Amino acid sequence: MTMYRGIGQKQNHALFVSDPGDYGRGEYWTDWPQAAEIYAKVGGQVMVREIRLKNALHLPVEEVLSLARDVYHTTVVESGSAARLKGSTQLTADMVAKGYDGIVVCGYETPGEWSACLFDPQNSRDP
């Protein structure tokens, strides 16, 4: 699937440049170019790639929210970024141990928008 990723100019372009990640530690992509533009902000860039996951975990938005909020606490801002990072890292480790290479969800940020967290950035390539 062709997807988009917004990269802000102030990020350091390390392996994973996003925040700890609501549903995993990895690269976040969307099928909605406007959402990527929001993340790129002024001066950033929008990347376009073909995303190919071999064994993605497809979850309804309610289940992703439950994982993020109730199990791994990745969306609990009051916990602080270190706790969110720990939860996000653990979520990814648990999913990779089960054989998943990413999580795909529809409607997480915007109704009808597909988004994916790639645990391994090698699962994307230029179209």
Side-chain angles (χ1 to χ4, degrees), residues 9-31:
Q9 80 177 53
K10 292 187 178 183
Q11 295 172 324
N12 63 11
H13 298 280
L15 181 61
F16 301 121
V17 296
S18 64
D19 69 7
D22 289 354
Y23 50 98
R25 190 85 176 116
E27 286 188 352
Y28 281 79
W29 293 82
T30 177
D31 71 341

Side-chain angles (χ1 to χ4, degrees), residues 4-69:
Y4 307 86
R5 176 174 167 78
I7 305 290
Q9 80 177 53
K10 292 187 178 183
Q11 295 172 324
N12 63 11
H13 298 280
L15 181 61
F16 301 121
V17 296
S18 64
D19 69 7
D22 289 354
Y23 50 98
R25 190 85 176 116
E27 286 188 352
Y28 281 79
W29 293 82
T30 177
D31 71 341
W32 192 42
Q34 295 86 349
E37 289 170 6
I38 291 167
Y39 280 94
K41 300 178 183 167
V42 176
Q45 67 176 335
V46 174
M47 300 168 61
V48 181
R49 295 273 168 85
E50 286 294 319
I51 304 303
R52 302 195 185 272
L53 294 170
K54 294 178 182 160
N55 191 29
L57 177 60
H58 292 263
L59 290 174
V61 70
E62 298 81 16
E63 287 184 36
V64 170
L65 284 170
S66 178
L67 273 178
R69 183 185 55 233

